[in-house]
Amino acid sequence: MKYCARCGSEYQDSVRECADCPGNPLLVSAEEMRARGLPLPHEMDKRVFVRAATAEDPFTAEAFVGVLQEANIPVLVRAGRSGVVDKLTTGNLLPWWEILVPEDLRARAVPLLEQERVQELATTDEAARAAEEEERETETPPSPPPAP
Ligand SMILES: [Zn+2]
């Protein structure tokens, strides 16, 4: 079996890339997953990964992964389609990604991600402000469930 170090999915040995993740990352061996501190699918019930944040675009997801890897926090990214939105049978991905970290490291991960989000907003300040205003006016988009 091979595994996606991004989302944690399991694949047949003949498969080379993850079909689910943006950029179709190359799959790795079980040993490599272990070396990165990531759980194999059948280990997920033992080692609980919980949501630390959500990203509304793949760039933010990438940035979050980078921050967490720098801090040596194992991270998985799940496209926000499964579970929550069973009713959607189109197979389309919703435009957000779930950032998952080990439960015992969540308290460390969340502030790092919040900091990263603030920094990102600061660098794209005007765009962010425009987007915010637009959001306020339209009151729309399909967004992740509000964080607790
Ligand atoms: Zn994947």
Side-chain angles (χ1 to χ4, degrees):
M1 288 294 179
K2 284 193 185 164
Y3 303 91
C4 175
R6 174 54 51 87
C7 67
S9 294
E10 188 176 63
Y11 285 90
Q12 300 292 336
D13 278 331
S14 56
V15 182
R16 300 187 64 85
E17 300 172 342
C18 181
D20 287 338
C21 289
N24 302 114
L26 287 174
L27 302 177
V28 302
S29 65
E31 289 74 30
E32 177 69 19
M33 289 290 279
R34 216 159 276 143
R36 297 188 194 193
L38 298 172
L40 305 182
H42 61 269
E43 294 172 344
M44 276 298 263
D45 49 350
K46 284 184 227 155
R47 183 148 191 197
V48 187
F49 270 55
V50 295
R51 180 195 291 180
T54 56
E56 288 78 24
D57 60 78
F59 307 104
T60 307
E62 280 306 310
F64 283 176
V65 168
V67 166
L68 293 174
Q69 283 178 343
E70 250 172 60
N72 284 319
I73 298 175
V75 53
L76 292 173
V77 181
R78 288 277 163 83
R81 85 182 144 172
S82 50
V84 191
V85 283
D86 281 335
K87 273 173 262 170
L88 296 183
T89 51
T90 56
N92 286 334
L93 298 182
L94 290 177
W96 59 280
W97 286 264
E98 205 174 15
I99 312 296
L100 302 172
V101 300
E103 195 171 27
D104 51 341
L105 292 176
R106 185 178 186 273
R108 251 180 77 205
V110 168
L112 290 172
L113 295 180
E114 274 166 10
Q115 203 181 345
E116 173 66 22
R117 198 189 284 279
V118 168
Q119 269 172 17
E120 207 174 280
L121 286 179
T123 51
T124 54
D125 198 33
E126 270 178 33
R129 221 179 297 151
E132 252 172 49
E133 264 156 40
E134 203 176 320
E135 219 170 85
R136 236 175 278 134
E137 277 163 26
T138 52
E139 282 240 280
T140 36
S143 56

